[in-house]
Amino acid sequence: MTMVIVGAGKAAARAVVGLREYGWQGAITLIGEEALPPYDRPPLSKASITEENPPTPILLLDEETIAALNATWIGNARAVAIDRAAKIISLADGRIVSYEKLLICTGAKPRQLAAAPRALLLRDFADALALRNAFTPGASVAIIGGGFIGLELASSAAKRGCKVTVIEAQARILLRGVPEEIAKVVAQRHGEAGVEIIASARIERIDIDAVYLDGGRRIAAQVLIAGIGAAPEIRLAEQAGLAIDNGIICDDHMRSSDPNIYAAGDCCNFPHPVFGGKRMRLEAWRSAQDQAGVAAENMAGGNKRFEAVPWFWSDQYDLSLQIAGVPEGATNTITRPLKDGAFILCHLRDDGTLVGASGIGRGNTIGRDIRLLEMLIGRQAKPDEAALMDQNTQLKALLKA
């Protein structure tokens, strides 16, 4: 009997280790499209581009470790079909892999810019190398999209001496990601680094070396990047006839509509019990890890719900931005000021329940408080608002209360 994992990111790495951790003694097979075994992807938009020496991928599981876990690694392999009745997976090269239970963690793929096939994307290590090579001093870089990936790449390009313009169709950057107060801080820091942000922009056409906006403005674009979001990679699940709605539909145990198939990471949509069963699809490193741990435990015979509070971070120059919980579920927001201009916005429901925390500051000024607020969110706490607003109040005391 074999547990099979399709995908080779953070979720896949956690699942391999988790299956052994939770007592699975049988075979494990890990299938990935790239030649590289699972590696860390957050550095791709940052250190892999900006560090002085040629980068190498940060492996989460090397082949020696995979072998030590008595697992089989199949790289450079694309799973193309699942036969749920026979419990087999077909690979593009004709190979067949049988499974007892299957975990799909295929992640999400960046959306292409239909009007500009030349636009570069970022998903894997090869993409990061291509961007690194393109970010030469003085090069004009136009980034379509002012979300997290687009802005992280803008920061990296600026650090490498490029002339960077971010073109955003919405009224401001990070419109769906963070509150306006935090977006303003991020925009100001980009401006200080020489990055121009054009919001409420409408593109008229894209040429070989420029982007033209409505009104005739020309934006030089020797390098063009599409940062317009990502779509869950669900082709394999669709072929298998699994239930789909903005990702592979799972329950809170990470089971799909087929009890022998699980999903984890960016490709799945699940109900979160801490937030009243609200369905969500999370594109976050730690969520992928946590979901895969739950899936692995249940595949090995456990009965665990996914209850981890969502947490996300982004580095922009010397700024650290962190979000815990689900801020959009709030009706009331209060500010917790911290040292050196850092602050955290605490998001509460009408009944006073803390449901989210969004913070920004230099270095690690917000990390400790965000972590404690995350724990309060997980407990569905109703902390005293005056205490939240007072930076001298220790959040640990609220946890004890």
Side-chain angles (χ1 to χ4, degrees):
M1 298 195 300
T2 303
M3 298 294 187
V4 175
I5 302 162
V6 176
K10 181 63 178 177
R14 177 67 185 98
V16 173
V17 175
L19 283 167
R20 293 301 182 217
E21 179 182 339
Y22 297 119
W24 174 252
Q25 300 295 318
I28 300 173
T29 299
L30 174 61
I31 302 169
E33 291 192 8
E34 296 179 66
L36 291 167
Y39 59 89
D40 208 15
R41 295 178 188 267
L44 297 182
S45 60
K46 299 178 275 286
S48 296
I49 293 172
T50 60
E51 62 186 23
E52 184 176 344
N53 296 320
T56 55
I58 301 171
L59 297 182
L60 300 170
L61 289 178
D62 57 27
E63 294 191 40
E64 182 178 340
T65 303
I66 293 172
L69 290 165
N70 196 25
T72 300
W73 160 242
I74 304 177
N76 270 331
R78 183 166 60 90
V80 294
I82 299 170
D83 184 331
R84 290 163 51 192
K87 298 172 76 171
I88 58 173
I89 302 166
S90 299
L91 306 185
D93 61 9
R95 282 181 288 179
I96 299 294
V97 179
S98 300
Y99 67 87
E100 175 70 17
K101 294 188 184 296
L102 168 65
L103 174 62
I104 301 175
C105 40
T106 44
K109 286 191 173 181
R111 290 186 171 91
Q112 298 275 354
L113 196 59
R118 75 178 178 96
L120 300 176
L121 304 172
L122 176 61
R123 186 176 193 248
D124 56 33
F125 186 69
D127 293 336
L129 291 182
L131 289 164
R132 176 185 173 90
N133 292 334
F135 290 169
T136 56
S140 59
V141 177
I143 300 173
I144 311 297
F148 288 111
I149 288 296
L151 292 171
E152 287 178 3
L153 290 175
S155 170
S156 295
K159 288 178 182 177
R160 290 184 65 85
C162 301
K163 178 177 172 54
V164 185
T165 305
V166 175
I167 301 169
E168 170 56 54
Q170 302 294 333
R172 65 168 174 88
I173 59 171
L174 300 172
L175 186 65
R176 289 183 288 272
V178 301
E180 186 173 5
E181 298 95 320
I182 291 178
K184 285 180 177 178
V185 176
V186 174
Q188 180 179 339
R189 184 64 186 88
H190 276 279
E192 292 169 359
V195 174
E196 181 181 8
I197 296 174
I198 306 173
S200 300
R202 295 292 178 267
I203 296 174
E204 180 181 281
R205 72 179 192 278
I206 298 174
D207 286 349
I208 194 169
D209 62 351
V211 177
Y212 291 87
L213 305 182
D214 283 355
R217 181 173 176 186
R218 179 183 185 275
I219 308 297
Q222 293 170 303
V223 181
L224 181 66
I225 298 169
I228 54 175
E233 180 49 85
I234 55 174
R235 288 177 296 178
L236 187 63
E238 285 181 319
Q239 176 279 326
L242 299 179
I244 303 290
D245 183 8
N246 185 30
I248 302 168
I249 292 181
C250 294
D251 62 15
D252 57 12
H253 285 55
M254 310 317 299
R255 284 184 299 251
S256 75
S257 53
D258 183 321
N260 294 311
I261 301 177
Y262 293 70
D266 298 6
C267 67
C268 74
N269 177 328
F270 69 100
H272 203 303
V274 175
F275 302 97
K278 174 183 171 66
R279 281 204 162 269
M280 54 186 72
R281 186 176 69 82
L282 302 172
E283 295 180 12
W285 175 89
R286 201 173 79 187
S287 293
Q289 171 182 273
D290 292 341
Q291 290 168 1
V294 170
E297 183 170 347
N298 292 331
M299 290 168 72
N303 184 30
K304 185 173 183 178
R305 293 200 311 176
F306 179 82
E307 298 177 317
V309 173
W311 175 83
F312 173 83
W313 97 101
S314 176
D315 291 332
Q316 310 273 333
Y317 308 98
D318 54 346
L319 293 176
S320 175
L321 183 160
Q322 297 186 34
I323 303 167
V326 185
E328 60 265 28
T331 56
N332 181 30
T333 297
I334 60 176
T335 302
R336 179 176 177 82
L338 300 174
K339 64 181 182 179
D340 300 326
F343 64 90
I344 296 174
L345 302 176
C346 300
H347 310 282
L348 304 101
R349 288 202 298 252
D350 283 339
D351 64 358
T353 303
L354 183 69
V355 293
S358 311
I360 191 164
R362 284 177 168 77
N364 197 37
T365 51
I366 63 171
R368 176 181 171 83
D369 277 13
I370 286 285
R371 176 57 182 151
L372 292 169
L373 289 165
E374 178 189 331
M375 295 168 69
L376 285 166
I377 294 167
R379 297 183 185 184
Q380 301 182 59
K382 299 178 181 180
D384 180 72
E385 292 187 17
L388 288 177
M389 296 171 65
D390 182 2
Q391 62 180 307
N392 295 316
T393 298
Q394 295 294 317
L395 295 179
K396 273 191 172 181
L398 299 183
L399 275 170
K400 290 177 182 178

